[in-house]
Amino acid sequence: MPAPTPAPAATRVPEGSPLPAWLRLACAILPVAATAAIGSVATRSEIPGWYAGLAKPWFNPPVWVFPVAWTILYTAIAVALWRLLGAKPRTGPSGEGWWLALAAFLVQLALNAAWTPVFFTVHAVGAALVVVAVLLVMVLWTIRLTWRFDRAAAWLLVPYAAWVAFATLLNAAILRMN
């Protein structure tokens, strides 16, 4: 009887991951793409109108910086999630620590998706400050939890944490000035 032929690399299940590579990739891209789409829809009509009319601090970047920064950050976030999904759960008999890291990742992503409509659509700058501050805490906690399973994934989230810290400061300044 001949030996079985190994599966092609694209369909092989990564070590520690119960998901085929293509499904893990889809599970990483879809929630991040949905978050980006929510942000795009929420800001599109508000940037030239409502946002343009707000008083902003001297450190507010030009409007074109935001989509460039978020494209880079969302790409890094999706890669980090893809890596986390492929990481071998090493804590506890059923990987409770890994599940906590994944839950934190998804919660921070939901907060990211929530901030843009709260700020831009509802114009609730104070409520948006609360959301972005909680988002910052969750991103930092996600980095800490992810570190145990995939350090590269954790490092990929560091620029995101820095940007969210900047967004928190910017949101607070806009609230104070308006």
Side-chain angles (χ1 to χ4, degrees):
M1 183 167 174
T5 306
T11 60
R12 220 176 290 146
V13 177
E15 184 179 326
S17 175
L19 300 174
W22 68 269
L23 185 56
R24 186 168 56 104
L25 185 61
C27 288
I29 291 173
L30 291 176
V32 176
T35 300
I38 289 167
S40 179
V41 168
T43 58
R44 186 168 293 132
S45 65
E46 299 296 333
I47 296 289
W50 174 77
Y51 186 74
L54 291 174
K56 293 181 253 345
W58 62 269
F59 57 87
N60 188 72
V63 173
W64 66 265
V65 169
F66 293 98
V68 172
W70 277 113
T71 299
I72 294 165
L73 293 170
Y74 282 137
T75 301
I77 293 165
V79 172
L81 181 53
W82 174 76
R83 291 187 61 91
L84 180 60
L85 289 170
K88 184 176 180 179
R90 293 187 306 244
T91 306
S94 61
E96 300 91 11
W98 181 86
W99 284 107
L100 183 60
L102 181 59
F105 203 111
L106 296 176
V107 167
Q108 66 80 18
L109 201 55
L111 287 165
N112 181 316
W115 179 84
T116 312
V118 171
F119 187 89
F120 283 99
T121 306
V122 182
H123 305 163
V125 180
L129 180 58
V130 172
V131 173
V132 76
V134 174
L135 171 59
L136 178 58
V137 170
M138 284 304 300
V139 171
L140 293 171
W141 193 43
T142 300
I143 291 169
R144 182 173 182 259
L145 293 171
T146 301
W147 183 262
R148 297 185 325 191
F149 304 102
D150 189 311
R151 291 186 176 178
W155 277 114
L156 283 165
L157 297 175
V158 170
Y160 174 43
W163 185 260
V164 172
F166 172 74
T168 304
L169 179 64
L170 183 59
N171 189 230
I174 291 171
L175 177 62
R176 185 182 56 77
M177 296 174 76
N178 291 278

